[in-house]
Amino acid sequence: MNPVETVNILIVDDEPRNLAVLESILDDPGYRLVRAGSGDDALLALVADEFAALVLDVQMPGMNGFELAQMVKERRKTARVPIIFLTAYYNEDQHILEGYGSGAVDYLHKPVNPAVLRSKVAVFAELHRKNREAERVNRLLVAEVAERRRAEARLSELNASLDERVQERTRELQESEALLLDASRRKDEFLAILAHELRNPLAPMRNAVHFLKLRGPGTPDVQWASDIVDRQVGAMSRLIEDLMDVSRINQGRIELRREPVAIEDVLADAVETIQPQIDGSGHKLTVLQPPARLVVSADRARLAQVFMNILGNAAKYTDPGGQIEVRVVGDAGFGIVSIRDSGIGIPPHRLERVFDLFAQEESALSRSRGGLGVGLSLTRKLVQMHGGTIVAASEGPGKGSQFTIRLPLAMAVPPQPADAAGPSAVAAVPGSLRILVADDNRDAAETLAVLLQVMGHESRKVYDGAAALEEAGRFDPQLVLLDIGMPGLNGYETCLRLREQEGGRSRMVVAVTGWGQPQDIQKANAAGFDGHLVKPVDVQALVRLIEARLAEKRP
């Protein structure tokens, strides 16, 4: 049990014997009895301490009990102290009324009944304790309320500060986002300009190579040199396209042209392109495929690009005379293509990073094999766009590498008969065209014009848009190959004015430019171009274009 709180009881009487009797009656561990022999002593005690009750004799020399009670009630500190009067007078109503009038709460006659006195004092003592407890609780509540108000004020300050910080951080994030978007836009513009500027010098180089090939076999050293230039132009073109593709994918600008296609046909496309590189390095290529044709829903050109990137790396990073194995299997609704080589291998801690943009192995760099480190990053993105996965594996440096691609199957079809006819080559369409070439890059214009002449066509060349309009009026070309970025009149304006000339609607006008972004093609179509070729021009694409124009000419 909790100990009883001790309270003060003031007993006042001028007779020491009476005080002793009161002390014996009120003897209790819960009381602290304070004696006073006069009214003055009682006042001093009331000033010094707080009392639960005042037991007061009425008849005292000097200041009697009524006078003392009056003074007690007049003071704010003691006004609420209960007063019990003790008197030896009986049946004096006026005396009793005076006692109650002076502030008494009870009136007992001497000799006092001990039980009655103890009971009355106990009530006042307990009431005093409860009042003190209530005051303590009230003080705690007041303190808690004050603390809560301080906390609320602090919380309000913090909320205001937090709001300011959130707004400030939001502004910073918006500014950062704007800077990042601007940097991304500038990067895209830079890549587009870089691709344009790099493609321009490649165009005359490729034209010159094809001119040499069309002129017939030359001396071995000339043939050797032209082959080198042709391969390097092709490699440079692929690097440019890889850079642009990574940028397009990151911006979500690439859309796959899906169609049902057999994996073996896509592999055949890739092998046909990479075979010269494999043969040039003296590698042995083995392709193992299942009897059933595994068909996937894919963009044939993009999927072939995936296989070409991996096969190209295998050929590049394998020492001459190495082994490259391609294995195709079907497993639980997936077509799995594994490409293994006996090349330089990959350290285990680098297996995941090989797919990062611009990531290259130190050993690969030390061998000066070239490349920008974008091929595998682009490859993984293209595989993921097809709903597939690609993983790299290697036992370590010098132990070769394996790349495994899993693609969801669309269906499996029976193998074609062995004597089934393959795709036939496009037959050459006899005839010639009047072709106007307009390009401010003189080397590009001259080499392309000469190449067209060697192919049997009548060609003219000019170096700006205004000259193209004048020459078109005199020459009346059936096909116009028009650069976009020319001084003065650009290609778009030139195309529009060509259409306004007499017979201009019947001409085929094709953009031949280093600008190859999707928006560039859309802009060219909107300006009235019939086609769009990206420099350096693929000669086979040019031949198909000429064949289409000749087919339109024929009755």
Side-chain angles (χ1 to χ4, degrees):
M1 296 178 62
N2 295 328
V4 177
E5 181 184 5
T6 302
V7 297
N8 296 325
I9 306 295
L10 179 60
I11 53 177
V12 185
D13 199 305
D14 60 320
E15 288 290 339
R17 290 176 300 173
N18 292 339
L19 290 175
V21 172
L22 291 174
E23 284 180 335
S24 64
I25 293 173
L26 298 176
D27 183 29
D28 188 282
Y31 302 154
R32 173 176 169 265
L33 301 176
V34 178
R35 297 172 53 156
S38 66
D40 293 333
D41 292 342
L43 288 175
L44 291 174
L46 287 167
V47 170
D49 286 314
E50 181 181 299
F51 291 90
L54 172 58
V55 180
L56 178 59
D57 184 31
V58 173
Q59 294 297 329
M60 291 187 299
M63 185 187 305
N64 63 33
F66 297 142
E67 293 171 341
L68 176 60
Q70 190 68 35
M71 296 182 68
V72 169
K73 293 302 179 183
E74 289 175 354
R75 294 180 68 249
R76 178 180 297 179
K77 179 181 177 182
T78 58
R80 304 175 71 87
V81 176
I83 299 174
I84 302 175
F85 276 123
L86 303 179
T87 180
Y89 292 95
Y90 289 91
N91 300 323
E92 292 185 12
D93 293 337
Q94 184 61 36
H95 198 273
I96 295 174
L97 290 174
E98 188 178 355
Y100 283 120
S102 62
V105 296
D106 213 338
Y107 205 97
L108 299 179
H109 293 89
K110 295 180 180 179
V112 176
N113 186 322
V116 172
L117 180 59
R118 280 196 294 267
S119 176
K120 291 182 180 295
V121 170
V123 169
F124 294 133
E126 185 62 26
L127 180 61
H128 183 73
R129 291 189 184 102
K130 291 186 180 298
N131 287 338
R132 290 176 64 174
E133 180 64 25
E135 289 174 358
R136 280 194 296 268
V137 171
N138 187 60
R139 284 194 298 271
L140 290 174
L141 288 175
V142 169
E144 184 177 348
V145 169
E147 182 62 29
R148 286 188 179 184
R149 287 177 178 171
R150 286 193 294 271
E152 288 174 357
R154 179 60 179 160
L155 184 59
S156 297
E157 294 175 2
L158 291 175
N159 283 338
S161 174
L162 181 60
D163 288 341
E164 292 177 2
R165 290 170 61 188
V166 168
Q167 292 174 4
E168 181 181 355
R169 184 59 178 160
T170 300
R171 286 193 298 271
E172 291 175 356
L173 289 175
Q174 289 172 343
E175 292 171 359
S176 298
E177 183 181 16
L179 290 173
L180 288 174
L181 290 174
D182 183 62
S184 178
R185 179 184 58 79
R186 290 175 180 272
K187 176 208 61 173
D188 295 337
E189 291 175 355
F190 169 75
L191 286 176
I193 294 172
L194 176 65
H196 175 267
E197 295 303 319
L198 290 177
R199 284 167 175 153
N200 272 331
L202 291 178
M205 295 169 63
R206 174 165 282 177
N207 294 339
V209 168
H210 286 287
F211 167 76
L212 291 175
K213 290 183 178 180
L214 289 172
R215 288 289 300 269
T219 61
D221 55 346
V222 171
Q223 184 64 38
W224 170 78
S226 65
D227 289 343
I228 289 177
V229 174
D230 192 19
R231 285 195 299 272
Q232 296 306 314
V233 168
M236 189 67 176
S237 299
R238 285 193 296 273
L239 288 175
I240 294 172
E241 286 305 315
D242 283 351
L243 275 175
M244 297 308 298
D245 281 344
V246 169
S247 176
R248 292 179 194 127
I249 290 176
N250 287 338
Q251 299 173 64
R253 292 183 181 174
I254 284 188
E255 292 185 6
L256 300 180
R257 297 181 176 88
R258 290 180 179 269
E259 59 178 336
V261 60
I263 292 179
E264 65 177 86
D265 293 339
V266 183
L267 270 174
D269 294 343
V271 170
E272 181 181 7
T273 304
I274 298 297
Q275 193 71 56
Q277 182 181 350
I278 294 174
D279 294 341
S281 298
H283 301 318
K284 179 183 177 181
L285 174 64
T286 304
V287 181
L288 305 174
Q289 302 195 73
R293 288 163 58 84
L294 303 178
V295 176
V296 293
S297 175
D299 184 318
R300 181 167 181 163
R302 291 297 183 182
L303 191 55
Q305 186 178 0
V306 167
F307 296 142
M308 283 190 292
N309 282 342
I310 301 175
L311 287 170
N313 280 348
K316 184 190 299 184
Y317 297 115
T318 299
D319 290 330
Q323 302 286 329
I324 301 174
E325 179 187 278
V326 180
R327 183 182 297 270
V328 183
V329 297
D331 179 35
F334 286 87
I336 301 175
V337 182
S338 299
I339 301 176
R340 178 189 294 272
D341 63 62
S342 58
I344 63 174
I346 306 170
H349 68 279
R350 299 277 297 180
L351 286 174
E352 275 303 314
R353 294 193 59 192
V354 296
F355 296 105
D356 293 345
L357 190 61
F358 304 125
Q360 290 183 313
E361 286 304 303
E362 290 82 354
S363 56
L365 291 172
S366 67
R367 293 172 182 238
S368 302
R369 313 259 182 165
L372 297 176
V374 300
L376 286 178
S377 176
L378 174 61
T379 295
R380 180 167 66 175
K381 291 178 184 295
L382 288 173
V383 170
Q384 290 172 344
M385 289 178 69
H386 282 87
T389 60
I390 179 171
V391 294
S394 176
E395 296 180 2
K399 297 184 178 180
S401 306
Q402 177 173 314
F403 289 83
T404 303
I405 302 165
R406 291 172 59 89
L407 297 167
L409 292 177
M411 66 185 77
V413 299
Q416 291 182 333
D419 58 349
S424 58
V426 178
V429 180
S432 64
L433 293 175
R434 295 186 306 279
I435 304 175
L436 175 62
V437 178
D439 197 323
D440 63 322
N441 185 323
R442 290 177 175 266
D443 287 343
E446 291 173 1
T447 54
L448 183 55
V450 170
L451 178 62
L452 292 168
Q453 291 171 6
V454 173
M455 294 169 66
H457 304 286
E458 184 181 358
S459 67
R460 302 279 178 88
K461 61 184 181 296
V462 293
Y463 307 118
D464 59 61
L469 293 174
E470 294 178 7
E471 189 64 28
R474 294 189 295 266
F475 184 48
D476 189 23
Q478 297 156 305
L479 174 61
V480 181
L481 302 177
L482 197 59
D483 184 31
I484 296 294
M486 295 186 294
L489 285 178
N490 62 36
Y492 301 123
E493 296 169 337
T494 304
C495 178
L496 291 172
R497 297 194 186 186
L498 282 172
R499 295 299 190 194
E500 295 171 355
Q501 292 181 341
E502 184 178 353
R505 295 293 174 185
S506 62
R507 293 171 183 153
M508 177 180 283
V509 184
V510 177
V512 180
T513 176
W515 300 106
Q517 294 280 64
Q519 62 267 28
D520 299 323
I521 299 174
Q522 293 173 1
K523 194 172 181 181
N525 293 337
F529 282 95
D530 297 303
H532 190 281
L533 296 176
V534 178
K535 295 177 181 178
V537 174
D538 181 354
V539 174
Q540 292 301 320
L542 180 60
V543 169
R544 288 193 295 271
L545 191 71
I546 293 171
E547 289 173 348
R549 185 68 183 94
L550 285 169
E552 290 179 5
K553 264 185 59 181
R554 292 186 300 174

